[in-house]
Amino acid sequence: MRSVDTSATRLSEIEELLYREAEYLDRPNLDAWIELYTEDGTYWMPAVEDQEDPINHISLFYDDRVMMEIRRRNFVHPRAASKDYTVRCSHLISNIRVDAVDEGTGDCTVTSNFHCLMYYCDKQTMYGGRYRHELVMTPEGYRIRHKRVDLINCDAVLGSIIIYL
């Protein structure tokens, strides 16, 4: 009987989660997307390169689960400005690496590179950078406790980011 390589299995599960997250953001299906997060989940986009924390420094945004819920509801509200035009996205994720694993719990930290092409309001915008996901193992599989998005051009003048990257 052949043994299963648990690191390969873990990486496959992680890749599936990250690809599913990208798919939900591409549709956009924020109802399904938010379910990928834990109740204490956070989403952070620093405003400067190598920013140390979201509390003592200004960020592009730092959302906890409550704020993510508010943004999700606002995005789908019939009178929301986001409804004036269709949001079209394509997320590409690569170089997925498991950086740290707690073998006791299965919780892990994962980094990856991304490109996101967004078309909204007759304007096409490209974003690129690095993701850092802190994942926790639950009975349903991995969930996102924290996501950090480091844009390559985080300190540049940026227009409105209409949907999560």
Side-chain angles (χ1 to χ4, degrees):
M1 187 165 156
R2 198 173 135 195
S3 65
V4 176
D5 180 357
T6 57
S7 62
T9 302
R10 178 182 292 129
L11 182 58
S12 178
E13 291 174 16
I14 289 167
E15 288 174 339
E16 177 58 31
L17 173 67
L18 299 184
Y19 296 148
R20 195 169 345 119
E21 181 189 25
E23 177 186 357
Y24 291 156
L25 290 172
D26 286 347
R27 288 186 190 172
N29 181 350
L30 296 184
D31 293 329
W33 172 79
I34 203 163
E35 293 305 316
L36 300 176
Y37 282 76
T38 61
E39 288 301 316
D40 63 344
T42 56
Y43 189 107
W44 179 32
M45 189 178 289
V48 296
E49 188 175 12
D50 298 324
Q51 186 171 330
E52 292 183 25
D53 72 78
I55 306 301
N56 297 305
H57 304 278
I58 293 174
S59 299
L60 295 173
F61 54 81
Y62 178 63
D63 289 358
D64 60 8
R65 181 68 184 247
V66 172
M67 191 65 210
M68 288 189 282
E69 287 282 356
I70 290 169
R71 288 185 195 268
R72 179 192 62 82
R73 277 183 256 159
N74 287 344
F75 184 78
V76 298
H77 192 278
R79 291 190 302 265
S82 60
K83 292 302 213 181
D84 292 345
Y85 298 91
T86 302
V87 177
R88 291 185 240 162
C89 293
S90 177
H91 288 78
L92 298 175
I93 303 168
S94 68
N95 297 25
I96 299 170
R97 300 279 188 256
V98 178
D99 290 340
V101 178
D102 179 329
E103 292 297 342
T105 63
D107 298 356
C108 59
T109 301
V110 178
T111 57
S112 58
N113 294 337
F114 79 93
H115 287 152
C116 174
L117 181 61
M118 185 181 305
Y119 182 73
Y120 176 74
C121 193
D122 295 332
K123 183 178 179 187
Q124 185 167 290
T125 307
M126 173 67 91
Y127 298 97
R130 188 158 186 81
Y131 290 144
R132 181 172 183 258
H133 286 83
E134 292 177 18
L135 306 178
V136 294
M137 181 55 78
T138 71
E140 296 80 32
Y142 280 111
R143 291 290 179 261
I144 303 165
R145 177 178 289 144
H146 178 70
K147 180 178 180 180
R148 176 181 174 141
V149 179
D150 288 296
L151 292 177
I152 289 172
N153 62 338
C154 60
D155 49 359
V157 175
L158 298 169
S160 243
I161 299 174
I162 196 74
I163 195 162
Y164 286 113
L165 302 177

